């Protein structure tokens, strides 16, 4: 299976989206009209089930007695009864529909529109992404849009987290922007705490400030000339293992560098960005968003928003800014 989407036994993909199906990386899911109700989103995205919990047991092979594991609980789906994870007793469950409900006020009163939502890995992780209505050009014709992502996991791998994600329209490259103001973060709720979608409020002023700062940073990169040799030197410092000469670097790292440089000069939208620090960033974000060749596509999507690939994009962005 070339994707991490949850596929039900009846063949339904737990994924919903607005816009063109051709823009979806896997081509699956349910297409909704803009303005669909949140109730329609929950059903179309396959987020209309609950996470239930039960006491796990094991069987003593000597006596065949069933013994309860008192400090753990097993989480399972209410619809299929399939298990999701085993967690500690202090784990606080976030339900799939709570991720959708988080956006109720934002879509009703603040002009945001849900654009995708769904579950991954059998329902162990789920998310919703909303268009914030923010869009601007880094250079003429090179538009970037702002989205708000809320994601969580019921396997203990991730806190319930809101992220501001910028998307370059010409290629759908994504870049997560840290929404911090001093020690303040937009939303991050540990599974040791109760997540109440009705009580968690988004700081819209922080979103506005983050958007303005991000656009200023991207335009600064776009105005910074950066030769191909300078870009190559930059990425060698990013990728090469310190203390090893080039001949001793692994084939995989050399290939990664080669692909970034190729995308920086000939990738989607490179005619608007090549020869600049912005073009260097676009080469990296295109590779780390759409495919490194190191992982199957079923993990690529998740990693580009929440894993190692996301961190690579963020580090590239921050380190390029430090050079200008």
């Amino acid at each position: 299976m070339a994707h991490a989407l949850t596929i039900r036994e009846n063949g339904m993909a737990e994924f919903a989206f607005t816009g063109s199906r051709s823009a979806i990386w896997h081509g699956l899911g349910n297409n909704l009209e803009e303005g669909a109700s949140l109730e329609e989103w929950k059903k179309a995205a396959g987020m209309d089930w609950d996470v239930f919990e039960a006491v796990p047991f094991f069987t003593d092979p000597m006596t065949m007695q069933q013994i309860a594991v008192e400090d753990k609980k097993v989480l399972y789906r209410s619809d299929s009864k399939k298990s999701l994870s085993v967690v500690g007793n202090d784990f606080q469950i976030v339900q799939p529909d709570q991720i959708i409900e988080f956006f109720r006020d934002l879509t009703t009163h603040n002009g945001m529109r849900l654009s995708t939502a769904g579950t991954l890995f059998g329902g162990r992780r789920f998310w919703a992404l909303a268009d914030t209505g923010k869009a601007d050009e880094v250079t003429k014709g090179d538009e970037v849009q702002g989205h708000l992502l809320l994601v969580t996991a019921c396997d203990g791998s991730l806190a319930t987290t809101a992220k501001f994600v910028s998307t370059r329209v010409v290629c759908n490259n994504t870049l997560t922007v840290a929404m911090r103001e001093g020690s303040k973060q937009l939303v991050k709720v540990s599974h040791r705490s109760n997540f109440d979608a009705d009580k968690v409020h988004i700081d819209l002023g922080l979103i506005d400030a983050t958007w303005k700062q991000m656009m200023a940073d991207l335009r600064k990169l776009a105005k910074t000339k950066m030769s191909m040799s300078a870009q190559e030197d930059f990425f060698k410092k990013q990728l090469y293992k310190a203390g090893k000469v080039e001949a001793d670097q692994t084939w995989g790292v050399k290939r990664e560098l080669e692909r970034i440089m190729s995308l920086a000069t000939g990738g989607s939208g490179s005619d608007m960005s090549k020869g600049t620090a912005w073009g260097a960033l676009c080469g990296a974000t295109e590779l780390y968003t759409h495919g490194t060749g190191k992982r199957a596509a079923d993990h690529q999507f998740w990693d580009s928003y929440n894993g190692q690939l996301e961190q690579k994009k963020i580090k590239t962005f921050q380190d390029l800014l430090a050079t200008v």
Side-chain angles (χ1 to χ4, degrees):
M1 186 177 295
H3 45 76
L5 288 179
T6 303
I7 307 295
R8 295 183 178 180
E9 291 184 0
N10 64 4
M12 173 189 167
E14 292 188 345
F15 178 76
F17 64 95
T18 57
S20 171
R21 185 176 295 273
S22 63
I24 303 300
W25 92 98
H26 46 70
L28 301 176
N30 301 301
N31 196 188
L32 287 173
E33 295 291 330
E34 288 192 7
S37 69
L38 295 193
E39 286 66 34
E40 290 173 308
W41 270 97
K42 293 174 190 178
K43 184 175 181 180
M47 298 170 75
D48 53 352
W49 50 274
D50 291 321
V51 179
F52 283 179
E53 63 180 68
V55 177
F57 288 80
F58 67 92
T59 302
D60 184 332
M62 300 296 293
T63 65
M64 300 307 293
Q65 179 184 3
Q66 284 198 323
I67 303 172
V69 182
E70 297 180 353
D71 61 341
K72 302 288 183 183
K73 56 188 177 184
V74 61
L75 305 185
Y76 65 97
R77 293 178 59 126
S78 62
D79 54 354
S80 66
K81 311 306 178 188
K82 289 185 176 180
S83 63
L84 297 168
S85 62
V86 176
V87 296
N89 279 336
D90 61 346
F91 186 91
Q92 298 292 310
I93 296 170
V94 177
Q95 300 293 351
D97 72 332
Q98 288 181 280
I99 298 300
I100 301 291
E101 283 296 328
F102 173 81
F103 289 97
R104 187 170 292 278
D105 283 348
L106 295 171
T107 55
T108 302
H109 303 297
N110 298 111
M112 294 191 188
R113 303 189 312 271
L114 283 176
S115 55
T116 64
T119 85
L120 302 167
F121 307 114
R124 292 174 179 82
R125 302 170 193 175
F126 27 93
W127 90 98
L129 184 74
D131 181 351
T132 64
K134 297 185 180 301
D136 211 339
E137 293 183 342
V138 178
T139 61
K140 186 173 177 58
D142 198 355
E143 184 176 291
V144 172
Q145 297 177 346
H147 295 88
L148 184 62
L149 173 72
L150 184 67
V151 62
T152 195
C154 60
D155 59 3
S157 62
L158 182 73
T160 304
T161 308
K163 301 181 179 185
F164 189 82
V165 180
S166 67
T167 303
R168 191 186 187 202
V169 173
V170 71
C171 52
N172 283 324
N173 297 350
T174 61
L175 175 65
T176 302
V177 182
M179 300 211 48
R180 291 182 177 275
E181 198 174 71
S183 60
K184 187 176 183 180
Q185 188 165 358
L186 190 62
V187 172
K188 188 169 186 178
V189 180
S190 163
H191 285 286
R192 290 191 178 90
S193 303
N194 180 54
F195 176 80
D196 188 335
D198 295 327
K199 294 181 180 179
V200 175
H201 298 290
I202 290 292
D203 186 338
L204 296 175
L206 184 54
I207 290 179
D208 289 341
T210 299
W211 173 256
K212 290 176 182 177
Q213 184 61 56
M214 185 201 69
M215 289 307 304
D217 289 340
L218 295 184
R219 287 171 178 148
K220 187 185 298 183
L221 293 179
K223 291 177 181 178
T224 302
K225 299 297 182 183
M226 196 172 191
S227 68
M228 291 302 101
S229 60
Q231 291 184 41
E232 186 171 352
D233 288 343
F234 171 83
F235 284 114
K236 283 180 179 179
K237 290 179 181 177
Q238 293 276 306
L239 300 173
Y240 281 9
K241 188 170 183 179
K244 280 191 174 185
V245 298
E246 185 164 352
D248 293 335
Q249 301 295 330
T250 65
W251 178 88
V253 166
K254 291 179 181 178
R255 176 59 176 156
E256 191 172 338
L257 172 63
E258 180 183 321
R259 294 184 70 187
I260 290 176
M261 293 303 299
S262 176
L263 291 169
T265 57
S268 301
S270 58
D271 56 310
M272 297 183 285
S273 60
K274 63 183 176 182
T276 67
W278 166 233
L281 176 63
C282 291
T285 56
E286 185 166 359
L287 180 64
Y288 298 140
T289 299
H290 300 296
T292 61
K294 290 183 176 180
R295 303 202 70 183
D298 58 351
H299 287 275
Q300 180 80 31
F301 171 78
W302 182 258
D303 260 7
S304 70
Y305 280 111
N306 300 282
Q308 183 181 22
L309 300 181
E310 178 200 34
Q311 294 305 312
K312 283 191 171 186
K313 288 188 282 187
I314 293 171
K315 186 176 188 305
T316 301
F317 177 48
Q318 293 173 339
D319 289 353
L320 279 168
L321 277 176
T323 68
V324 302

